[in-house]
Amino acid sequence: MKKIDTIIFDLGGVLVDWNPEYVYKNVFNTEKEMKWFLTNVCSPEWNIEQDGGRTIAEAESLLITQFPEYKKEIKLFYADWEFMFSGPIRENVKLFHQLKATKKYNFYALTNWSFEKWDKALELFPFFKNFDGVVVSGQEKCRKPFSKIYNLIIDRYNITPENALFIDDNFENIEGAKKIGFNGIHISKGEKLSEKLNLFNIKID
């Protein structure tokens, strides 16, 4: 294994906790209704197209045409988007700051995020500005797990994939990164990131 000199973080699910259920649990009478809506109407497949550059207005129009009876609930997705965050994942954010303080690594973020919500994200989480660089999928109109966005961050910041470690909570995104040559850590909710970093000999002195 080559020496790691660059660490690339996903944001949602790794450094901040985001879940539409935090909003919609107060909208629907039952969990079953909420789950159905978030699976079939404002679904992950629908949401990720905004991460790829589709506008919110276009996305809302598309769904309201299909599900006019849910117009109010559809509009709520982005109107109340900021309330879908419970906050930073404190243990991981602390680890990020500790590792950055060692000055041993370059730090970047590679995130699937709507370009229309990125400025608000920086307001909510100012530490997003502490990276050496950030690639936001919606701004680039390409997203993980497709190779174009991994090659984009490589070229923009002169990264050698074999010397870089990519951290994401989405397994498909990790697989996409590995195909380009990155080392990868898939982190699930409740897992300790520090333990997974130890496997790459990345530790706080």
Side-chain angles (χ1 to χ4, degrees):
M1 183 186 298
K2 292 189 177 181
K3 182 176 174 60
I4 301 295
D5 61 22
T6 299
I7 302 175
I8 304 170
F9 281 87
D10 172 41
L11 299 177
V14 176
L15 294 179
V16 294
D17 179 37
W18 178 86
N19 192 330
E21 292 188 9
Y22 295 146
V23 165
Y24 285 102
K25 68 182 180 181
N26 300 314
V27 173
F28 292 98
N29 293 323
T30 67
E31 183 177 0
K32 184 178 179 181
E33 288 178 288
M34 176 189 73
K35 295 280 190 186
W36 186 90
F37 177 84
L38 293 175
T39 300
N40 297 284
V41 185
C42 288
S43 66
E45 293 78 15
W46 169 80
N47 177 56
I48 205 167
E49 292 301 322
Q50 286 73 270
D51 293 346
R54 181 169 67 185
T55 67
I56 291 171
E58 184 183 353
E60 289 177 342
S61 177
L62 180 71
L63 277 195
I64 291 168
T65 299
Q66 290 180 281
F67 304 98
E69 69 275 24
Y70 284 110
K71 179 179 179 179
K72 180 181 176 182
E73 291 82 358
I74 291 166
K75 288 277 191 180
L76 198 63
F77 194 95
Y78 284 106
D80 277 9
W81 172 86
E82 65 185 274
F83 301 110
M84 294 177 180
F85 294 95
S86 69
I89 301 174
R90 298 191 182 281
E91 183 179 3
N92 293 351
V93 174
K94 180 181 178 182
L95 188 58
F96 161 61
H97 287 305
Q98 289 174 325
L99 286 169
K100 198 168 192 304
T102 68
K103 301 185 185 298
K104 292 181 179 179
Y105 310 98
N106 299 309
F107 287 93
Y108 302 102
L110 176 58
T111 183
N112 281 353
W113 209 288
S114 165
F115 73 93
E116 292 175 274
K117 288 297 183 180
W118 182 244
D119 286 345
K120 188 62 180 181
L122 293 175
E123 286 180 30
L124 292 172
F125 307 108
F127 72 88
F128 285 178
K129 299 175 185 177
N130 293 342
F131 289 95
D132 299 308
V134 180
V135 171
V136 179
S137 64
Q139 294 176 343
E140 308 299 340
K141 295 190 168 29
C142 59
R143 62 173 176 83
K144 301 174 288 184
F146 301 111
S147 60
K148 182 178 179 180
I149 201 163
Y150 300 109
N151 286 318
L152 190 153
I153 196 172
I154 288 168
D155 294 341
R156 182 169 295 172
Y157 299 113
N158 195 27
I159 295 168
T160 302
E162 293 79 8
N163 298 125
L165 178 62
F166 176 60
I167 305 165
D168 202 299
D169 68 318
N170 184 305
F171 184 75
E172 286 187 5
N173 294 344
I174 292 294
E175 290 298 292
K178 286 182 175 179
K179 287 177 183 177
I180 304 299
F182 285 105
N183 300 283
I185 287 178
H186 176 237
I187 185 80
S188 299
K189 192 169 185 176
E191 290 186 310
K192 284 194 170 292
L193 180 57
S194 58
E195 293 177 358
K196 296 211 167 188
L197 288 170
N198 285 343
L199 299 175
F200 292 88
N201 202 31
I202 296 172
K203 302 174 183 178
I204 307 300
D205 293 334

